[in-house]
Amino acid sequence: MTKRKKLCFVIMGFGKKTDLSTGKTLDLDKTYKNIIRPAVEKSGLTCVRADEIQDSGLIDKSMYALLMHADLVVADISTYNPNAIYELGVRHAVRPFSTIIIKEQEGTIPFDINHNRIFHYSHLGDDIGVDEAERCKESLVDMIGSLLKNSTVDSPLYDYIQDIEPPKLTKKEYQRIIGDLSDREDSIFAISERATHCMEDSNFSEAAKLWQKAEDLVPNESYFTQQHALARYKSKVPTEISALTDALQIIEKLDPDNETNDPETLGLTGAIYKRLWQATSDRECLRRAMDYYSKGFQIRRDYYNGENYAICLNIAASIEEDPEEKVFYKIAAKKARYEIIDTLAYLLDEGESTQSVNKWPYATLASCYFGLGDEENGNVFEKIFLSLTSVEWESETYFESKKKLSELLKV
């Protein structure tokens, strides 16, 4: 299942700004392009800077919404930019954690935040040295990974006053604000956010149109192509088979047969062929689904591909007439499920909070245990998965797969 990317909102000055305490002029755009954005994107997040969503230089409603909503905020306070300092204060007021402060190593640090952990980098003025940019990028990637995993309080407000609750931004209000913003054809972030909300509301036809718009604006971004294919095949418009055929043409842009080793692309291609098998009973579609899922599982031990590979093996066993081949498929499915459980053992070994992880590994564990006849553990992980999702189509997809698995195991 293609996962929604987390969002990082970057607050900082734009262009060349002078630090009055040192007299040094810094091209802050180089900090963003050479350090911040590459690090954020390497960490798997969508990166958005304030100037990429603002209609004017003034702080507006979209700014406040993103300061509250973003999974991560990176605040560069170099040159003591007043807007950046203000926006950092807003973020600290509304979110207890997931904020990173960075600053060029020279110059003073405001008294109110000089106790915070600050990531320092060296700027040459007009640019940043290649070695320094690479060092900072890798260090920032490590910091982002640790911060998102551990959810340590980094706001001084919530550190000092521990009995207060952060304000809430309702999904409806956020969607309204982003909906207004997405009317601007050049806002790729808002278009993708609106498409994601359409997916959550099971409005797949509209989502497919928006993902196509995003894909047209940024044709080299595989995530948009994957989402476009996913929304198109789930739309079932005008017919399920035509939607699946269209989705296959979309995902083939990423060349799943030859070049890609991306488990997301392989998994989506496998899903399209599996649904074509379900719609047509064409055994070649089932064979191709197994091939794509198997490749995605073998390359990176990707649990989604592994789970669906196991299900396809059960399907193959259910239609196989040769007794020995039938046994082979069943044993291979059982082996794959044990490997998946071993791959996802970190969920138990690390005692990871279910509030800070992806929901789908729990759905996969539930399916694997049910597939092995372990109802007790299956029910445990099913309960966790359902507690983490409020999206109707996600739970429907899970129960649809569970029902089919139960039928296959009886054969």
Side-chain angles (χ1 to χ4, degrees):
M1 183 61 62
T2 303
K3 310 172 188 68
R4 177 181 180 179
K5 286 189 176 182
K6 291 181 180 293
L7 170 66
C8 173
F9 186 50
V10 179
I11 52 181
M12 64 186 302
F14 318 135
K16 294 185 177 182
K17 295 289 187 294
T18 300
D19 187 332
L20 297 180
S21 67
T22 65
K24 186 176 181 179
T25 299
L26 309 178
D27 187 341
L28 296 177
D29 288 346
K30 296 298 177 66
T31 305
Y32 180 61
K33 294 176 182 178
N34 295 342
I35 297 177
I36 300 174
R37 187 169 65 189
V40 170
E41 292 179 347
K42 185 174 181 179
S43 300
L45 286 77
T46 297
C47 188
V48 179
R49 194 168 70 162
D51 61 325
E52 295 170 347
I53 56 93
Q54 282 184 266
D55 290 316
S56 68
L58 300 175
I59 296 175
D60 58 11
K61 59 185 179 181
S62 56
M63 176 78 70
Y64 288 111
L66 290 169
L67 287 170
M68 294 183 70
H69 175 78
D71 301 284
L72 171 71
V73 161
V74 174
D76 188 341
I77 62 170
S78 301
T79 73
Y80 200 12
N81 181 277
N83 285 341
I85 296 294
Y86 177 84
E87 291 153 22
L88 173 61
V90 172
R91 174 67 174 188
H92 277 163
V94 300
R95 289 291 289 266
F97 46 78
S98 302
T99 302
I100 294 176
I101 304 173
I102 72 172
K103 182 188 176 299
E104 207 276 334
Q105 64 183 3
E106 298 182 21
T108 59
I109 299 174
F111 171 78
D112 290 342
I113 56 176
N114 64 7
H115 66 285
N116 287 69
R117 180 184 179 187
I118 297 178
F119 181 92
H120 290 280
Y121 64 93
S122 177
H123 204 303
L124 299 177
D126 291 332
D127 208 340
I128 297 172
V130 174
D131 290 344
E132 175 68 357
E134 189 63 25
R135 178 193 73 81
C136 292
K137 183 178 70 174
E138 294 304 318
S139 296
L140 196 55
V141 167
D142 292 340
M143 184 178 291
I144 290 171
S146 175
L147 184 147
L148 292 179
K149 180 178 179 180
N150 297 319
S151 298
T152 303
V153 173
D154 48 44
S155 162
L157 174 65
Y158 293 91
D159 185 25
Y160 293 151
I161 307 176
Q162 300 180 8
D163 293 332
I164 57 173
E165 293 292 329
K168 303 293 184 182
L169 177 66
T170 66
K171 177 181 177 182
K172 181 178 180 180
E173 176 63 7
Y174 180 69
Q175 288 183 351
R176 183 188 69 80
I177 294 171
I178 296 303
D180 292 342
L181 186 61
S182 64
D183 290 337
R184 293 177 54 202
E185 295 295 318
D186 61 342
S187 177
I188 186 66
F189 160 70
I191 291 169
S192 62
E193 282 290 279
R194 188 176 177 189
T196 299
H197 295 144
C198 286
M199 297 278 280
E200 292 173 348
D201 293 335
S202 299
N203 187 356
F204 298 113
S205 294
E206 182 63 23
K209 295 176 184 177
L210 291 164
W211 287 125
Q212 182 174 7
K213 185 184 293 186
E215 185 183 12
D216 290 343
L217 287 170
V218 191
N220 294 324
E221 175 52 71
S222 62
Y223 177 73
F224 295 151
T225 303
Q226 292 164 352
Q227 292 296 312
H228 184 197
L230 176 63
R232 184 70 190 96
Y233 93 65
K234 283 189 171 291
S235 72
K236 300 183 181 180
V237 174
T239 67
E240 181 175 13
I241 291 179
S242 65
L244 288 166
T245 302
D246 288 347
L248 196 57
Q249 292 177 343
I250 295 167
I251 203 67
E252 282 176 351
K253 297 174 187 176
L254 302 179
D255 199 7
D257 289 323
N258 298 307
E259 293 184 3
T260 187
N261 287 326
D262 178 18
E264 298 288 349
T265 298
L266 294 168
L268 270 171
T269 310
I272 294 168
Y273 275 114
K274 186 174 76 170
R275 288 182 178 268
L276 280 170
W277 146 255
Q278 293 168 349
T280 66
S281 297
D282 184 341
R283 293 197 179 196
E284 177 61 18
C285 290
L286 178 61
R287 184 193 67 78
R288 291 191 179 191
M290 281 197 293
D291 286 346
Y292 286 114
Y293 283 138
S294 176
K295 183 180 178 181
F297 183 47
Q298 291 171 4
I299 289 172
R300 298 187 189 174
R301 314 312 293 168
D302 180 74
Y303 62 85
Y304 170 78
N305 280 284
E307 175 194 359
N308 282 282
Y309 174 55
I311 290 174
C312 285
L313 287 168
N314 287 125
I315 295 173
S318 72
I319 61 176
E320 179 59 56
E321 296 180 359
D322 186 320
E324 292 184 356
E325 286 293 310
K326 184 184 288 287
V327 171
F328 168 79
Y329 285 131
K330 288 184 176 181
I331 292 175
K334 183 177 181 180
K335 180 181 178 182
R337 289 191 172 100
Y338 278 122
E339 289 181 18
I340 295 165
I341 290 172
D342 183 62
T343 299
L344 295 177
Y346 71 91
L347 293 174
L348 301 177
D349 294 342
E350 296 182 5
E352 202 165 349
S353 168
T354 59
Q355 298 302 315
S356 62
V357 297
N358 176 27
K359 70 196 80 170
W360 290 108
Y362 294 99
T364 296
L365 281 172
S367 176
C368 286
Y369 278 115
F370 285 135
L372 294 170
D374 188 339
E375 294 285 326
E376 182 178 355
N377 276 313
N379 287 326
V380 168
F381 291 108
E382 177 181 287
K383 183 177 180 181
I384 295 174
F385 167 71
L386 294 176
S387 72
L388 292 174
T389 183
S390 59
V391 179
E392 184 177 355
W393 72 265
E394 292 179 343
S395 56
E396 287 179 352
T397 298
Y398 168 79
F399 282 115
E400 178 185 348
S401 296
K402 181 182 179 183
K403 180 181 178 182
K404 290 178 180 177
L405 176 60
S406 178
E407 293 171 351
L408 289 170
L409 294 176
K410 295 176 182 177
V411 179

